[in-house]
């Protein structure tokens, strides 16, 4: 299958896949392939501040742009928001937008790690690529505006479909700290 759909993503932006796609003139899509509630892992308990016996909701979706599958999205939701997530229809193109628009829950911040990996058999089957195909992995954990842990995600993009742009800028200039007690004659 030839993949020609591309979607640029700015690394510092807090836009969901669906919001980003629409802003760039693409039609986002998706299908839920698995929903499972299971005991929190040690990492999830720490990240979500969850009790030892508290279950975590895991959702796996295949995401598309203009009808072409481009990303596998695995998301674990904090226990406090799991009941809300269960009410969102599986074909919803933006869970983040729905959380904000229907429930007043806004993403306040996220920590994102970008890496590359090779598709295993499961990823390859869901994305329609060969095992061993290159994928761009974007892992994130986000918090709501009120500071509560919200979700942890592992998104795997088919190579060549979503370029990552990183914008950099110099820090605002600050006045130099006054020099005191150096014992040197600065006059010349």
């Amino acid at each position: 299958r030839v993949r020609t759909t591309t979607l640029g993503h700015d690394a510092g932006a807090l836009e969901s896949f669906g919001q980003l796609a629409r802003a760039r003139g693409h039609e986002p899509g998706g299908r839920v392939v698995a929903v499972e509630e299971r005991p929190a892992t040690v990492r999830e308990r720490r990240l979500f501040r969850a009790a030892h016996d508290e279950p975590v909701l895991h959702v796996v979706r295949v995401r598309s742009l203009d009808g072409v599958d481009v990303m596998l999205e695995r998301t674990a939701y904090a226990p406090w928001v799991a009941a809300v997530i269960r009410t969102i229809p599986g074909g919803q193109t933006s869970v983040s937008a729905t959380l904000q628009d229907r429930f007043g829950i806004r993403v306040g911040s996220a920590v994102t790690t970008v890496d590359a990996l090779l598709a295993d058999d499961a990823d390859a089957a869901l994305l329609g690529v060969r095992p061993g195909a290159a994928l761009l992995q974007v892992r994130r954990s986000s918090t709501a505006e009120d500071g509560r842990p919200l979700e942890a995600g592992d998104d795997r993009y088919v190579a060549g479909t979503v370029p990552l742009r990183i914008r950099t800028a110099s820090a605002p200039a600050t006045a130099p700290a006054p020099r005191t007690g150096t014992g040197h004659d600065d006059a010349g």
Side-chain angles (χ1 to χ4, degrees):
R1 175 181 348 175
V2 176
R3 298 175 193 272
T4 57
T5 303
T6 59
L7 179 69
H9 181 68
D10 289 326
L14 276 176
E15 294 176 296
S16 74
F17 178 85
Q19 293 165 328
L20 185 63
R22 283 201 177 89
R24 304 286 195 279
H26 295 288
E27 184 59 35
R31 68 183 187 282
V32 173
V33 296
V35 177
E36 179 183 20
E37 199 170 77
R38 58 182 184 246
T41 65
V42 171
R43 180 182 176 275
E44 289 167 343
R45 283 196 309 267
R46 188 173 45 250
L47 181 67
F48 297 144
R49 300 179 211 138
H52 187 271
D53 59 347
E54 229 172 345
V56 171
L57 182 66
H58 292 260
V59 178
V60 179
R61 298 195 303 169
V62 175
R63 305 305 307 270
S64 62
L65 288 173
D66 303 323
V68 178
D69 292 341
V70 297
M71 190 249 286
L72 179 60
E73 177 184 85
R74 290 184 176 98
T75 308
Y77 292 97
W80 73 269
V81 77
V84 171
I85 297 297
R86 279 191 217 89
T87 69
I88 300 173
Q92 189 68 40
T93 56
S94 178
V95 170
S96 297
T98 302
L99 284 174
Q100 180 178 325
D101 298 343
R102 285 185 40 207
F103 302 100
I105 300 169
R106 275 181 66 98
V107 176
S109 65
V111 174
T112 303
T113 302
V114 179
D115 206 348
L117 57 84
L118 302 178
D120 61 18
D121 291 341
D123 290 351
L126 288 169
L127 288 170
V129 298
R130 63 176 172 66
L135 300 176
L136 178 69
Q137 181 182 39
V138 179
R139 291 174 287 152
R140 78 186 166 286
S141 60
S142 67
T143 58
E145 279 186 327
D146 64 7
R148 288 184 291 176
L150 186 58
E151 54 92 37
D154 181 336
D155 301 340
R156 297 175 182 198
Y157 292 87
V158 174
T161 59
V162 182
L164 182 66
R165 287 189 300 259
I166 299 174
R167 294 179 192 217
T168 57
S170 61
T174 58
R179 295 174 65 165
T180 58
T182 62
H184 298 284
D185 181 8
D186 293 330

